[in-house]
Amino acid sequence: MTTRHLVDPELLALVDAMPPMVLSDESLPVIRAALPAMVKAVPLPDLPVAISDVQVPADGGTRTVRCMMLRPAALAANAPAILHMHGGGNVIGMPEMNSGQLMQWADALGCLILSVDYRLAPETRFPGAIEDCYAALGWLHAQAGALGIDRARIAVSGESAGGALAAGLALLARDRGEYAICFQHLEQPRLDDRTSTEAAPNPFTGEFVWTRESSRYCWIAQLGKEPGGAETSPYAAPARAGDLAGLPRTFISVGALDLFVDECLDHAGRLIRAGVPTELHVYPGCMHGFGMARESGPARRAQADNLAALRMAFALPVVP
């Protein structure tokens, strides 16, 4: 069965140009090697936002984590900040994949953004990536004065596997009690390892761009075992968390044809039942990664919703 008839007409060109990614031990090095050139080929917006690399100390200063920092030229004193995590199934990706969007956010919101170049699987399995992100969160808090940001207005954000890292980081920060997070912004987050192994999967999701097979491969690479087992940590798969109370205000967005739509719907409902202020957007006719069709109506709506939610989280004036 195909779900092509359900795809938003503005996204059909993306569907045709983006065959589902086939991930394997053989294809992974090839995809990684091609990614930097693909990223470099995408033009960046002409905005007054400086991009630089910073090295964040980790593991007691025995190593560092590279992060990409975006700083608008007119950053006001005591500005908000976003700690961002890129997507890629925990096996591919780099902060630069999102440079254009993050530049737009930094400029529109007047905020500093730090995007983490966390360690990838299978070379580094869980909890390596989330500990890299936790180190970056601690660095933002420690350097808040020098950076000119407000510790009380640090949000976490991510898409796909990065959304899982952001949600897992919110849980980890709540449980460790060291650093505050004011908002979790989750785009098409991959929240539940059980989705890739369920006996009766949703027949209308996961056909395009990111499939159930790709998701299973990435979970095995990240966890070092088959997904769906009883011992998966909620810091890896946030849908496994038994208690969601005390988490920061949450935004979740996902396409109706995305492999992850059911787990996002369930997670949003559980957050609401736990007393967490939660905003949920489901975009009809949209598959995983539909934002790559930047000029399409769905992508423009999603970008407007992203900015509106972040403005509200940071208590910034609404832009008409």
Side-chain angles (χ1 to χ4, degrees):
M1 183 187 74
T2 180
T3 56
R4 185 182 175 90
H5 64 289
L6 298 175
V7 175
D8 188 296
E10 292 191 61
L11 300 176
L12 286 173
L14 175 64
V15 165
D16 293 336
M18 287 283 295
M21 185 174 291
V22 179
L23 288 169
S24 67
D25 292 344
E26 292 72 34
S27 68
L28 184 57
V30 177
I31 295 169
R32 285 179 174 177
L35 188 59
M38 293 170 59
V39 170
K40 192 174 182 179
V42 178
L44 297 178
D46 183 16
L47 293 171
V49 176
I51 300 179
S52 61
D53 276 0
V54 296
Q55 297 293 332
V56 170
D59 292 343
T62 59
R63 64 180 183 90
T64 61
V65 179
R66 183 184 78 91
C67 297
M68 181 179 73
M69 187 164 68
L70 300 94
R71 187 182 187 94
L75 189 70
N78 218 33
I82 298 172
L83 180 64
H84 172 264
M85 280 64 73
H86 66 77
N90 277 99
V91 300
I92 59 174
M94 60 185 68
E96 287 77 9
M97 294 192 311
N98 302 94
S99 293
Q101 175 174 285
L102 296 181
M103 288 178 70
Q104 292 173 344
W105 289 5
D107 180 64
L109 300 168
C111 72
L112 183 139
I113 301 178
L114 192 71
S115 187
V116 187
D117 192 12
Y118 55 85
R119 290 171 293 171
L120 299 175
E123 294 85 352
T124 301
R125 301 195 191 276
F126 175 82
I130 198 165
E131 290 294 354
D132 289 350
C133 298
Y134 191 80
L137 176 64
W139 184 84
L140 272 180
H141 274 266
Q143 298 298 319
L147 294 170
I149 63 172
D150 182 0
R151 288 186 184 88
R153 291 193 295 164
I154 296 176
V156 293
S157 174
E159 64 283 336
S160 194
L165 282 167
L169 188 59
L171 286 165
L172 189 60
R174 180 200 65 179
D175 295 345
R176 288 183 177 173
E178 292 182 301
Y179 309 120
I181 294 171
C182 75
F183 186 61
Q184 55 175 340
H185 175 267
L186 315 177
E187 292 187 85
Q188 56 197 12
R190 185 190 68 156
L191 299 169
D192 196 338
D193 61 307
R194 296 166 293 191
T195 296
S196 62
T197 62
E198 56 192 346
N202 185 333
F204 298 102
T205 64
E207 179 180 0
F208 305 111
V209 182
W210 197 257
T211 65
R212 189 164 276 100
E213 292 73 24
S214 291
S215 191
R216 176 177 171 272
Y217 175 86
C218 292
W219 279 115
I220 293 171
Q222 180 185 0
L223 300 175
K225 61 181 181 179
E226 283 284 344
E231 301 302 320
T232 302
S233 169
Y235 304 135
R240 298 296 200 114
D243 180 12
L244 300 180
L247 289 171
R249 177 184 230 144
T250 302
F251 172 95
I252 300 175
S253 65
V254 67
L257 306 179
D258 194 315
L259 177 65
F260 306 140
V261 64
D262 293 317
E263 61 198 72
C264 288
L265 291 169
D266 181 69
H267 199 65
R270 292 185 61 224
L271 284 163
I272 291 168
R273 290 193 297 273
V276 177
T278 301
E279 179 178 352
L280 171 68
H281 292 257
V282 179
Y283 299 101
C286 293
M287 73 296 295
H288 196 74
F290 71 91
M292 290 184 288
R294 290 182 178 84
E295 298 306 314
S296 68
R300 288 180 177 273
R301 288 195 299 275
Q303 177 72 324
D305 291 338
N306 285 331
L307 288 171
L310 288 162
R311 283 187 178 279
M312 184 180 298
F314 294 146
L316 297 172
V318 175
V319 175

